[in-house]
Amino acid sequence: MPQPTIISIAERAGVSIASVSRVLNGLGARPDTTEKVERAAAELGYVPNAVARSLKGGRTRQLTFAMPDIGNPVYVAMVRAIQSVAKAAGYRLLLHSTDAVVEDELAVLRSLGDRTSDGLILCPIRITDAHVEALRGAAGPVVVIGSLPSGVPVDSVRADSVAGVALAVRHLYETGRRRIAFVNGPADTVPGRKRGEGYRKALADCGLAYEPDLVARTDFDIEAGAAATEALLDQKPDAVFGANDQLALGAARALHARGLRIPQDVAVAGMDDSVLAQAGWPPLTSVDLGSTERGKRAAELLLRRLDSARAAADDTPETPTPRTTTAPPRLVVRASTGRAATDS
């Protein structure tokens, strides 16, 4: 069956080709004409060619969000926030899961030159020299959710992991914990590095010594968190802090397997305050790093950048300087960090 065209749609609707073009490109037409064209297009199964439209009109009305793991509730929260902002502005949202593979992230950056979307929101957990080079030479607007080296001319939205860790460690200290184990992610990732720095600083602020034997590094998932915590339990911690909720839930699994009570024997806290934090028992104390807010701000920054690009095309250039914004953390206390049994 041949692909419907604006000619066949015009014939079906009984209107001019020019009227069809105006309706399909959102340029406005009489209500009765719009209704006829939309009905004819639907009956013929017409699907707009975003690439062809972008080559002709300079935009696709599509945005791309590239994230490390589409199944992680943190990124799901970001998707919902970005989608809400994009949809209100008349954009579709394309999703891409990179599995935190650097080459995949670089390929997504390069794909801006194909003009299949008007702009990109990228959320990498590693920033390499290749990332910096690709960001500097990107063919379209990019906003990064994460921390960037200074001098990279790209809008970004950050989480304050150091302050977030401080909230959690201080809370555990105030519930009577003094041997606070830390299950962190890989050291070569931005969150792993920042949360490690925050942990050491938070211990010092509470007057506690840093003990390497109470720290484990592993992947950011539940199974890895359980295995890492099992190895730490011989050090007899009275609290386990996970660098994200999945690691903290893995810690809870290891504690249950050992017959240890949460929080009476060992308290557990995590980061991100994802939907997983309320899924286990007891519900998990966690630091909200503003996933929804970061997604919303990133989408707003990208739309601002696109507006400035259109203004420049209309000979009214006003290129905004790159912005970096930080979402403040918030501690959400739940039952997993009640006071130790010895303090009752």
Side-chain angles (χ1 to χ4, degrees):
M1 187 174 186
Q3 171 70 27
T5 65
I6 61 172
I7 296 174
S8 59
I9 294 171
E11 292 174 349
R12 172 68 69 94
V15 300
S16 69
I17 293 173
S19 294
V20 174
S21 178
R22 289 186 64 81
V23 172
L24 294 182
N25 286 285
L27 299 177
R30 293 202 314 263
D32 60 329
T33 300
T34 299
E35 182 181 354
K36 290 177 182 178
V37 171
E38 290 179 345
R39 183 170 61 249
E43 290 172 353
L44 293 172
Y46 175 75
V47 178
N49 187 320
V51 174
R53 288 175 62 183
S54 70
L55 290 172
K56 181 178 179 181
R59 57 179 178 163
T60 66
R61 305 300 298 184
Q62 297 184 148
L63 306 177
T64 299
F65 177 40
M67 74 213 87
D69 179 5
I70 200 167
N72 187 320
V74 170
Y75 303 118
V76 173
M78 290 181 183
V79 167
R80 287 174 175 159
I82 296 168
Q83 166 83 2
S84 177
V85 174
K87 189 174 183 179
Y91 286 86
R92 299 183 187 90
L93 183 63
L94 308 178
L95 304 180
H96 182 80
S97 188
T98 66
D99 296 321
V101 175
V102 170
E103 282 304 319
D104 200 357
E105 292 166 349
L106 297 177
V108 174
L109 278 165
R110 289 192 292 267
S111 74
L112 281 171
D114 299 337
R115 302 179 72 177
T116 53
S117 68
D118 297 335
L120 168 67
I121 298 173
L122 178 66
C123 189
I125 62 173
R126 295 174 178 85
I127 295 292
T128 65
D129 291 341
H131 280 99
V132 172
E133 181 180 354
L135 287 167
R136 289 184 183 279
V142 183
V143 176
V144 170
I145 298 181
S147 296
L148 289 173
S150 61
V152 180
V154 171
D155 297 317
S156 63
V157 184
R158 300 177 178 178
D160 192 342
S161 292
V162 173
V165 172
L167 291 174
V169 172
R170 172 61 66 176
H171 169 68
L172 292 168
Y173 179 84
E174 290 175 349
T175 62
R177 271 69 190 198
R178 298 296 181 267
R179 293 187 57 75
I180 303 171
F182 183 40
V183 182
N184 197 6
D188 66 337
T189 65
V190 174
R193 185 177 72 255
K194 291 288 187 182
R195 293 169 201 189
E197 293 172 2
Y199 171 73
R200 295 187 72 136
K201 182 178 184 301
L203 288 179
D205 290 344
C206 291
L208 300 176
Y210 174 78
E211 299 183 45
D213 290 344
L214 285 175
V215 177
R217 287 192 177 275
T218 187
D219 294 325
F220 283 113
D221 61 61
I222 292 176
E223 294 296 333
T229 302
E230 175 63 31
L232 288 173
L233 289 181
D234 290 340
Q235 304 302 319
K236 301 191 182 306
D238 54 18
V240 179
F241 174 46
N244 70 0
D245 288 341
Q246 294 182 78
L247 290 172
L249 290 173
R253 178 187 296 180
L255 292 169
H256 286 310
R258 283 277 191 107
L260 294 168
R261 299 169 300 165
I262 304 171
Q264 294 90 336
D265 299 325
V266 182
V268 180
M271 291 196 83
D272 291 327
D273 194 36
S274 66
V275 294
L276 294 176
Q278 299 183 59
W281 187 258
L284 184 67
T285 290
S286 187
V287 178
D288 182 355
L289 291 174
S291 299
T292 297
E293 181 64 19
R294 282 183 284 156
K296 177 177 179 289
R297 292 187 190 184
E300 291 171 345
L301 285 171
L302 185 57
L303 292 178
R304 168 178 170 265
R305 186 66 57 177
L306 288 167
D307 286 344
S308 70
R310 282 195 291 274
D314 293 335
D315 296 324
T316 54
E318 184 183 343
T319 303
T321 57
R323 288 185 182 178
T324 296
T325 180
T326 302
R330 179 176 64 94
L331 180 68
V332 181
V333 178
R334 299 190 179 93
S336 68
T337 56
R339 297 194 68 83
T342 53
D343 293 334
S344 301

